[in-house]
């Protein structure tokens, strides 16, 4: 497989990002809830960008819209409003061969390696299956060799080609899923909780594999996870979601060590401080109340009903996502952003 050159520093933003999302909104019609409403706004004005060779971590509570955003990026859902640009091109406007070519460029690694692989196919057939649609990518006579290369690239053996998913361990199945995603030589891989179903020791192996593949191939990741320690380990930048909106985004170290949004600060306060010798201490922030229903979200700032800094303006106006502090890449959607570091 031809390997693209290792990218320049991912922290340097290009004029045209690999992936650019602006004002993305998605609403679903569901059964009427206690409020009598049946329109669930899963995404509400989401903005994000992804550079080539970069890992963007996406974190937030269950139901905040992370998986819906992933499905839109994969064109499994069509947004109601907003734009998705892939190197300046709107994939939702493509048709025919152009659309087929684009689908090669964005692939996915699923959460459950036990359910995401067809138990009736052997490893060779699982990896080669995408080539039946994208026939021009790998000539038929070279497919056996390419399968063996991909298996070895993800840490499996070339001799595993005839084994079935049930003959692999959980970590090996996830490696097989990664090999399948790499078969189409994508530019972006969406990783939806890719290690949450694995044992702790196996998680580290898979995360190291993803990091090594990125350095080798220049692939970009949208890494969705609820595990903050995992995100801190793999992500170059982090975007924090709450009830369908991005409430904070920025370089990983800054978001973790100096969160600007109260919700982000509460999330980070729940994460353990691993370096006990550093003297760092994080005061736990306990939020009051329950997460509002996405069928009936609060007016203005959606976090205001649980926020200790909320004032009248928070109920009247939704705060824009804009830079806060000295770092222009660190933005928060808050009328009263935090200025003190989260650790002291």
């Amino acid at each position: 497989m031809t390997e693209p050159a290792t990218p320049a520093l991912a922290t340097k933003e290009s004029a045209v990002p690999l992936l650019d999302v602006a004002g993305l909104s998605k609403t679903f019609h569901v059964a009427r809830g206690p409020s009598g409403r049946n329109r669930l706004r899963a995404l509400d004005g989401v903005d994000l960008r992804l550079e080539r060779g970069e890992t963007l971590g996406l974190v937030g509570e269950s139901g905040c819209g992370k998986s819906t955003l992933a499905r839109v990026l994969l064109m499994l859902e069509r947004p109601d409003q907003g734009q998705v640009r892939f190197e300046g091109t709107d994939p939702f406007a493509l048709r025919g061969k152009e659309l087929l070519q684009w689908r090669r460029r964005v692939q996915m690694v699923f959460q459950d390696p036990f359910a995401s692989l067809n138990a009736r196919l052997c490893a060779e057939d699982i990896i080669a299956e995408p080539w039946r649609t994208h026939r021009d990518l790998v000539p038929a006579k070279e497919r056996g060799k390419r399968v063996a290369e991909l298996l070895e690239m993800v840490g499996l053996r070339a001799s595993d080609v005839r084994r079935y998913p049930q003959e692999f361990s959980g970590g090996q199945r996830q490696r097989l899923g990664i090999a399948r995603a790499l078969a189409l030589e994508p530019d972006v891989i969406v990783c939806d909780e890719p290690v949450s179903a694995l044992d702790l020791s196996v998680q580290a192996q898979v995360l190291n594999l993803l990091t090594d593949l990125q350095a080798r191939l220049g692939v970009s990741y949208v890494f969705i996870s609820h595990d903050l320690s995992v995100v801190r380990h793999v992500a170059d930048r982090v975007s924090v979601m709450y009830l369908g909106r991005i409430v904070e985004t920025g370089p990983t170290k800054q978001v973790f060590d100096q969160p600007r949004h109260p919700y982000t600060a509460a999330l980070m306060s729940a994460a353990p401080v691993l370096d006990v010798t550093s003297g760092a201490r994080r005061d736990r922030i306990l939020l009051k109340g329950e997460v509002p229903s996405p069928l009936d979200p609060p007016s203005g700032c959606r976090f205001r009903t649980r926020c200790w800094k909320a004032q009248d303006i928070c109920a009247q106006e939704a705060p824009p996502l804009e830079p806060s502090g000295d770092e222009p890449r660190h933005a928060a959607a808050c009328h009263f952003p935090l200025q003190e570091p989260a650790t002291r």
Side-chain angles (χ1 to χ4, degrees):
M1 178 162 45
T2 302
E3 297 179 7
T6 302
L9 291 176
T11 55
K12 294 184 178 180
E13 295 187 355
S14 58
V16 179
L18 179 62
L19 182 65
D20 191 13
V21 174
L24 204 66
S25 296
K26 178 64 180 177
T27 300
F28 295 100
H29 292 270
V30 298
R32 293 187 183 276
S35 64
R37 301 183 180 183
N38 66 340
R39 291 173 58 83
L40 190 153
R41 202 168 181 84
L43 301 176
D44 189 5
V46 170
D47 297 335
L48 60 83
R49 60 186 286 154
L50 179 70
E51 302 291 340
R52 184 172 293 278
E54 180 184 44
T55 298
L56 174 66
L58 196 61
V59 302
E61 294 172 285
S62 296
C64 70
K66 303 188 299 295
S67 293
T68 299
L69 178 56
R71 291 180 61 85
V72 171
L73 297 181
L74 290 158
M75 291 186 66
L76 299 177
E77 299 284 354
R78 179 175 288 273
D80 302 325
Q81 296 177 342
Q83 293 183 334
V84 177
R85 298 287 181 181
F86 193 89
E87 291 187 327
T89 299
D90 179 5
F92 288 95
L94 300 178
R95 297 292 184 273
K97 291 183 178 180
E98 290 184 335
L99 177 58
L100 186 64
Q101 289 291 322
W102 180 88
R103 288 193 178 279
R104 285 170 39 180
R105 303 185 67 182
V106 182
Q107 294 297 302
M108 187 166 188
V109 174
F110 297 90
Q111 176 180 5
D112 188 353
F114 300 92
S116 61
L117 301 176
N118 189 336
R120 302 178 67 179
L121 298 181
C122 66
E124 181 176 22
D125 293 336
I126 288 172
I127 294 175
E129 187 175 21
W131 299 331
R132 297 176 183 174
T133 300
H134 303 272
R135 298 180 180 179
D136 61 327
L137 186 60
V138 181
K141 63 182 180 180
E142 297 181 10
R143 291 179 182 178
K145 178 182 177 182
R146 185 64 59 83
V147 167
E149 291 174 352
L150 287 167
L151 286 172
E152 293 178 343
M153 185 180 294
V154 299
L156 297 174
R157 299 171 300 181
S159 59
D160 290 332
V161 291
R162 305 311 302 172
R163 295 174 64 189
Y164 289 82
Q166 54 269 29
E167 299 179 76
F168 291 101
S169 67
Q172 289 174 328
R173 292 183 195 184
Q174 196 61 297
R175 290 173 185 268
L176 183 56
I178 294 170
R180 178 179 60 184
L182 291 174
L184 293 178
E185 301 180 13
D187 296 290
V188 178
I189 296 180
V190 178
C191 303
D192 190 0
E193 302 276 6
V195 297
S196 63
L198 306 178
D199 293 339
L200 194 60
S201 60
V202 180
Q203 287 186 16
Q205 296 172 15
V206 173
L207 292 175
N208 290 336
L209 171 64
L210 291 172
T211 301
D212 292 343
L213 290 171
Q214 185 176 64
R216 183 176 178 179
L217 304 175
V219 65
S220 301
Y221 297 129
V222 176
F223 194 96
I224 300 171
S225 180
H226 67 278
D227 191 326
L228 297 179
S229 62
V230 168
V231 171
R232 183 161 195 166
H233 177 71
V234 302
D236 300 299
R237 290 189 301 113
V238 176
S239 290
V240 182
M241 291 192 71
Y242 184 82
L243 280 182
R245 293 178 178 172
I246 301 290
V247 297
E248 185 163 357
T249 187
T252 301
K253 180 174 175 55
Q254 292 190 10
V255 172
F256 272 77
D257 293 346
Q258 295 183 313
R260 299 303 187 190
H261 196 282
Y263 174 66
T264 307
L267 275 184
M268 301 310 170
S269 75
V273 177
L274 300 181
D275 187 2
V276 296
T277 64
S278 66
R281 181 174 61 86
R282 191 189 299 271
D283 294 333
R284 180 68 186 273
I285 300 174
L286 299 177
L287 298 178
K288 297 180 180 180
E290 299 293 330
V291 180
S293 169
L295 288 170
D296 189 20
S299 61
C301 175
R302 293 192 170 186
F303 185 64
R304 66 176 177 81
T305 57
R306 306 171 73 194
C307 182
W308 66 95
K309 293 176 68 68
Q311 299 184 29
D312 290 344
I313 190 175
C314 301
Q316 300 166 5
E317 300 179 13
L321 184 66
E322 57 186 11
S324 174
D326 298 330
E327 172 56 74
R329 296 176 300 163
H330 190 178
C334 183
H335 292 299
F336 306 99
L338 303 175
Q339 300 300 325
E340 294 295 327
T343 58
R344 56 184 182 274

